[in-house]
Amino acid sequence: MATHNETRRRLLSALALAPLGALRPTSAAAQARADAPIRQPPEPTRAAFFAHARALRDQAVREGDQSYGAVVVRNGVIVGEGRNYVVLHSDPTAHAELLAVRDAARRLATRDLSDCDVYSTAIPCPMCQGALYWARVRRVFTDGAAEQGMVPKLAC
């Protein structure tokens, strides 16, 4: 009887964890892109970080997705980047800011991004605001927003 329960437990655990496998890149090429170093701008300026986010946005549009891009910056270095994959991956949560935070957390091996800033091509939606808040991102800078940026908040 114990063997049957143990087998059942393993099977149910595998079924519960199966959807998490979709969060990883599926091909060797995708894995190589995820592990590739991020190309840094020649000068670590606000304009350069926005230019990088815009380049990600433009890449998303060229490939048929929505026009959003974001980068996570720590001490003048881009440590995470993201662009929308909502359409291409049929994933309503694959927003640029969310993917940039995931990328930075993975590369830095921490979920605490309290010493990081995010540069985004748009004002983050409530879902992304929540992710930025829980990652403890210090400031979010968006095109056309206040010079000092905004502090992520957990509210609509």
Side-chain angles (χ1 to χ4, degrees), residues 4 38 94 99 115:
H4 175 68
I38 298 172
L99 296 179
D115 56 349

Side-chain angles (χ1 to χ4, degrees), residues 124-131 153-156:
C125 73
M127 176 183 67
C128 293
Q129 279 277 352
K153 60 183 178 181
L154 191 60
C156 295

Side-chain angles (χ1 to χ4, degrees), residues 11-79:
L11 178 61
L12 290 174
S13 295
L15 289 173
L17 295 175
L20 297 178
L23 297 177
R24 293 189 308 254
T26 54
S27 69
Q31 184 63 45
R33 281 193 308 273
D35 293 336
I38 298 172
R39 207 178 94 212
Q40 300 297 319
E43 295 287 323
T45 64
R46 181 183 167 113
F49 299 139
F50 273 124
H52 193 99
R54 286 186 201 106
L56 291 167
R57 174 198 64 196
D58 295 345
Q59 179 187 9
V61 171
R62 276 193 308 277
E63 293 178 14
D65 218 306
Q66 297 170 334
S67 60
Y68 301 100
V71 295
V72 178
V73 177
R74 182 172 88 176
N75 299 327
V77 176
I78 298 173
V79 295

Side-chain angles (χ1 to χ4, degrees), residues 46 97 116-118 120 122-125 128-129 132 137-143 145-153:
R46 181 183 167 113
E97 297 87 356
C116 296
D117 298 321
V118 170
S120 177
I123 296 172
C125 73
C128 293
Q129 279 277 352
L132 298 169
V137 168
R138 181 175 45 205
R139 292 254 183 236
V140 179
F141 298 94
T142 60
D143 278 338
E147 183 74 24
Q148 71 273 14
M150 62 183 175
V151 177
K153 60 183 178 181

